[in-house]
Amino acid sequence: MAGVGLAGPLQQRLPGLEERLCRLCHLRNDEDSADAFLMQASATLETLKQLSEDGGENSTFSNLVQLYAQAVLDITYFEENQLIDEDFLEVSSLQKVEELIHVLSEPEALIKESGENEPLSVLGVELLECLYWRRGALLYMFCHTVKGRKEWLMEKMETFKKFLSEGVNYLVKMLGFRCSVDLNEEFVSQDADTARLLHEGIFSDTHLLAMMYSGEMCYWGLNYFGKGKPPLQSTDSGSNSEQHCSARTEIVDFRDMGEKMLKKYIDVCEGPLREHEWNTRNAKLILDYFRQLST
């Protein structure tokens, strides 16, 4: 059955998600390739509503939350593409980014409100990785875009720093959900490169990109807020949502984390993936910058 405590939190969220989907369907471009994700989200929500209302052997806690998470991922994917296509130029883009981060956090919030403490056991590793990847990658893209806008930075420097810290945290946590695989000696001897990748928890290109993205964000953090930097004057007073986000953001040691991520990225790209021509030039330049700071 659905499980004690699930019906209330889930039913509270479904109308908002359906309204969001309906609004996007009205705004979409008929030629937009992301329409498939909205259609898939609509079908997922219909399945979710039926299961939550009818009950039965498929209406387990895990199944319902996974369907909800998948609908969230599909709907927000469409919205993220709109922001990226517009180069985050809309005045409301900052608010939109914060809103999407909140929506992508809802599956875990639902699990917590329902009395469960282990999102990994409920959602499964692939969905949980995706939720963290999408938040981290969105913050990476936003920071990558606005770091060249001096006027914006002067007004929103604290928000920029917060987004860098949150983005790194999301990507690093995403990389930690798969524990190192214990491999037997026969497999290691037959395919040492694949064995090393699995042992490092690297199962896709996304894991590599997460390492590079987090390393770059650490570089931006040090470049703007590193030791020896004069205090940056900002008119960013911080909204209620920003203060709430800052309270839950874990402090990132940009240099230490950046070095760790980029060294691993380079080792893997020039080791097991040496034949796949992953570019390590920028990663090496950033590592040189980190080393210069320590001298």
Side-chain angles (χ1 to χ4, degrees):
M1 297 300 292
V4 177
L6 176 62
L10 180 62
Q11 294 302 327
Q12 291 173 7
R13 286 171 169 80
L14 280 180
L17 199 58
E18 289 177 308
E19 181 181 346
R20 193 180 201 91
L21 175 60
C22 183
R23 174 172 50 82
L24 292 174
C25 287
H26 284 300
L27 293 175
R28 75 181 189 273
N29 185 327
D30 290 338
E31 297 179 357
D32 199 318
S33 60
D35 276 2
F37 288 89
L38 295 183
M39 294 174 62
Q40 183 171 305
S42 180
T44 301
L45 285 178
E46 283 300 315
T47 301
L48 174 56
K49 286 195 298 182
Q50 291 176 5
L51 289 177
S52 61
E53 293 170 0
D54 300 341
E57 61 180 15
N58 292 325
S59 300
T60 63
F61 181 89
S62 184
N63 282 348
L64 295 178
V65 178
Q66 287 177 19
L67 286 169
Y68 178 80
Q70 188 59 63
V72 163
L73 287 167
D74 288 336
I75 292 171
T76 54
Y77 180 78
F78 181 90
E79 295 180 274
E80 288 173 32
N81 276 312
Q82 285 185 318
L83 282 174
I84 294 170
D85 289 344
E86 296 166 358
D87 202 28
F88 298 99
L89 286 178
E90 293 292 331
V91 176
S92 61
S93 64
L94 171 59
Q95 181 181 350
K96 188 68 174 179
V97 168
E98 290 183 322
E99 181 184 328
L100 288 174
I101 296 297
H102 174 76
V103 174
L104 286 163
S105 302
E106 283 292 276
E108 285 181 277
L110 172 60
I111 293 171
K112 182 177 180 181
E113 290 174 24
S114 301
E116 296 290 330
N117 297 317
E118 295 295 336
L120 182 60
S121 63
V122 175
L123 290 167
V125 66
E126 292 186 5
L127 273 176
L128 195 57
E129 275 186 346
C130 194
L131 288 166
Y132 275 79
W133 160 251
R134 289 276 298 280
R135 282 175 283 181
L138 175 60
L139 291 175
Y140 169 85
M141 292 300 298
F142 182 79
C143 291
H144 182 275
T145 302
V146 301
K147 67 182 175 62
R149 298 174 182 168
K150 294 182 179 180
E151 291 185 5
W152 188 95
L153 286 177
M154 290 303 296
E155 294 179 357
K156 295 290 184 181
M157 189 59 71
E158 288 303 314
T159 299
F160 182 62
K161 184 178 182 180
K162 174 178 72 70
F163 277 7
L164 289 175
S165 293
E166 288 183 346
V168 172
N169 276 322
Y170 284 132
L171 294 173
V172 170
K173 286 181 180 179
M174 172 257 184
L175 289 167
F177 287 127
R178 296 184 194 245
C179 299
S180 297
V181 177
D182 292 327
L183 305 168
N184 60 53
E185 294 182 3
E186 182 180 355
F187 178 79
V188 173
S189 63
Q190 290 177 350
D191 193 342
D193 286 344
T194 300
R196 182 178 170 188
L197 290 173
L198 296 178
H199 180 71
E200 295 288 351
I202 300 170
F203 291 77
S204 70
D205 291 354
T206 303
H207 292 89
L208 285 174
L209 288 174
M211 292 177 196
M212 189 64 217
Y213 283 6
S214 58
E216 285 187 87
M217 295 177 87
C218 287
Y219 165 71
W220 300 334
L222 279 175
N223 196 29
Y224 284 97
F225 309 105
K227 292 181 180 179
K229 297 282 185 181
L232 291 161
Q233 299 300 318
S234 173
T235 60
D236 184 5
S237 59
S239 64
N240 290 335
S241 63
E242 287 169 352
Q243 292 171 0
H244 175 69
C245 289
S246 297
R248 69 167 185 266
T249 301
E250 297 176 19
I251 302 302
V252 172
D253 184 332
F254 286 125
R255 184 176 177 275
D256 181 69
M257 186 59 69
E259 280 190 333
K260 180 180 178 181
M261 290 293 105
L262 292 178
K263 283 180 179 178
K264 189 172 182 179
Y265 172 82
I266 293 170
D267 287 345
V268 170
C269 291
E270 295 186 349
L273 297 176
R274 57 191 173 279
E275 302 297 331
H276 294 267
E277 300 182 352
W278 280 81
N279 192 328
T280 59
R281 182 176 180 275
N282 195 37
K284 291 179 178 178
L285 289 174
I286 294 174
L287 277 180
D288 286 341
Y289 173 81
F290 289 161
R291 295 187 184 105
Q292 291 172 13
L293 291 178
S294 62
T295 58

